[in-house]
Amino acid sequence: MTARTREDLRTADRIVVKVGSSSISGESAWRIPMIVHALSSAHSRGCEIVLVSSGAIATGIPYLDLEAKPTDLATQQAAAAVGQNVLVYRYQEALRPFRIVAGQVLLTTGDLENATSRSNARRAMERLLGLRILPIVNENDTVATQEIRFGDNDRLAALVAQLIQADALVLLSDIECLYTKPPTDPSAEPIDIITADSDLEGLEFGATVVNSVGTGGAATKVSAARLAAASGIGVLVTGADLVDRALNGEDIGTWFEPAVISATRAAPVS
């Protein structure tokens, strides 16, 4: 059932949740159990949850004794190889009390652009969900280069939501909602709902790079949300600390109304 409103998140059958590096790495790693608790609650009521999680590079950096995020590709790939392992371990440890098993899914743009690999990815994820496994998706940073990257995991989350025909997408941010201007601007006003045909000209969503450990920001979330909403997927943008309230359909964040698409969920690819 496509989520037409925020309230529908409470009863949605399939939700993709995306969390960024700044929310779960370094000193923010304490949020992982909190996010997992919210996901497990939705999982326990029968919802199929897919988590798209950034953070591999940021998580791996301390283990390589690096003082800052590396700028060369090879070291970024090395940090991702170490960090992805640690990141998934942290999620699995947090999931253990709820008797939920995580499944790691690493993707590149090529995986979703090529018909065969796209079909394989969809089939694998459908099977994981059918087995009540919680897929944790990230970009495959050990093989991705600037030329073949998604650009940010907000876009990856939107593409994954399209791939598995999710009912809703929740993009977790550092702020509670989107604003008409950067929230540091005194004249900025919160945005409640963005309709499918909204003209966003004149709105200022801020810079792309938001911190030293992750990329993204409001502009990338808007772009990803519009992409998913155009496919008939309702999208909520809100703060990572509000994930439990978001999945319970409370009136928070910025809601992107989905376009009306006359299509039914396809059967799992065999």
Side-chain angles (χ1 to χ4, degrees):
M1 178 196 71
T2 296
R4 309 301 311 180
T5 67
R6 292 178 181 85
E7 292 78 9
D8 292 335
L9 286 169
R10 181 190 296 272
T11 55
D13 295 323
R14 181 175 290 183
I15 301 175
V16 174
V17 177
K18 183 266 176 180
V19 62
S21 297
S22 62
S23 296
I24 48 88
S25 60
E27 294 182 355
S28 297
W30 63 266
R31 283 196 182 91
I32 288 180
M34 179 195 70
I35 291 170
V36 163
H37 186 275
L39 300 182
S40 66
S41 294
H43 185 275
S44 68
R45 64 176 181 252
C47 183
E48 295 176 339
I49 294 286
V50 174
L51 176 64
V52 177
S53 176
S54 304
I57 294 176
T59 299
I61 289 173
Y63 294 90
L64 302 183
D65 293 325
L66 300 176
E67 296 182 354
K69 182 177 180 178
T71 56
D72 66 291
L73 180 60
T75 309
Q76 290 175 358
Q77 291 170 324
V82 174
Q84 187 64 36
N85 176 55
V86 176
L87 187 62
V88 171
Y89 173 79
R90 289 175 179 172
Y91 277 120
Q92 183 58 73
E93 285 301 290
L95 286 164
R96 195 177 306 281
F98 304 102
R99 299 180 182 272
I100 298 174
V101 176
Q104 179 175 260
V105 179
L106 300 178
L107 298 170
T108 66
T109 56
D111 294 325
L112 298 185
E113 291 173 352
N114 177 274
T116 299
S117 56
R118 178 182 173 87
S119 176
N120 288 338
R122 181 191 296 117
R123 180 175 58 232
M125 292 186 68
E126 290 283 358
R127 187 59 180 138
L128 286 169
L129 292 171
L131 293 168
R132 300 295 290 153
I133 303 298
L134 196 155
I136 298 178
V137 182
N138 197 359
E139 181 155 23
N140 193 347
D141 288 312
T142 58
V143 300
T145 63
Q146 291 300 321
E147 293 75 21
I148 64 170
R149 292 183 63 85
F150 290 102
D152 60 86
N153 271 1
D154 294 314
R155 178 174 174 79
L156 171 59
L159 294 174
V160 167
Q162 289 179 333
L163 179 72
I164 64 171
Q165 296 182 286
D167 299 316
L169 168 64
V170 176
L171 298 175
L172 299 178
S173 176
D174 295 328
I175 55 177
E176 182 175 344
C177 65
L178 296 174
Y179 291 83
T180 53
K181 296 180 180 181
T184 53
D185 189 321
S187 64
E189 298 181 358
I191 301 174
D192 182 37
I193 296 176
I194 295 179
T195 60
D197 58 353
S198 288
D199 182 0
L200 303 185
E201 185 176 354
L203 299 180
E204 301 174 19
F205 291 114
T208 297
V209 178
V210 294
N211 52 57
S212 63
V213 298
T215 59
T220 64
K221 285 176 175 57
V222 170
S223 178
R226 293 300 289 264
L227 175 64
S231 300
I233 300 168
V235 184
L236 180 68
V237 178
T238 193
D241 293 343
L242 304 176
V243 58
D244 186 59
R245 295 178 61 191
L247 294 177
N248 278 308
E250 294 190 28
D251 188 16
I252 58 172
T254 300
W255 178 254
F256 288 75
E257 291 185 343
V260 177
I261 305 293
S262 56
T264 57
R265 175 172 292 151
V269 178
S270 59

